[in-house]
Amino acid sequence: METQNVSDMIEQYLKNILQEHQHIEIRRAEIAQQFDVVPSQINYVIKTRFTIQNGYLVESKRGGGGYIRIAKVRLLEDNQVLDLLIAAIGTTVSQHDAIAVVQSLFEDKLISPREASLILSTIDKDTLRIHDTQTENAMRARILIGILNRLRFKS
């Protein structure tokens, strides 16, 4: 039997709740206690698995009545979300993060499987074949931002 790591279990737990609700508000300490982990483990999962690149907006409020709100967003329903995604990409983007963006576009049915495959082929490190990681990541960001800007006008 294959075992999941705790981060995967926490991610799946939160995603299961998000399937039934538009957004969720959690208390970091409560989730940590439920999974018998330290609260920083919850931070790690949220920071790495619930990013704008993956199609999530995260808002947090610290303090006694603090919470973390996670919302699944459809990337092109609101140009502001698209602007946030472009800002998150910035001037450079790793192949890992770029794949997450394409996956979100595909999951939100904004691109077809064929379009996703073509985009992934275009941004792949073997296709770009630039032997300078910084330049490669900059080129990948420009390609992705160009695609995202073109999707603004998708009918």
Side-chain angles (χ1 to χ4, degrees), residues 21 33 80 101 109 121:
H21 304 283
Q33 184 177 26
Q80 185 178 19
V101 169
K109 296 179 177 35
S121 175

Side-chain angles (χ1 to χ4, degrees), residues 125-140:
K125 67 179 181 162
D126 292 330
T127 301
L128 295 175
R129 216 174 267 219
I130 300 169
H131 299 290
D132 173 32
T133 303
Q134 195 171 26
T135 304
E136 177 185 308
N137 289 345
M139 179 66 69
R140 185 178 293 114

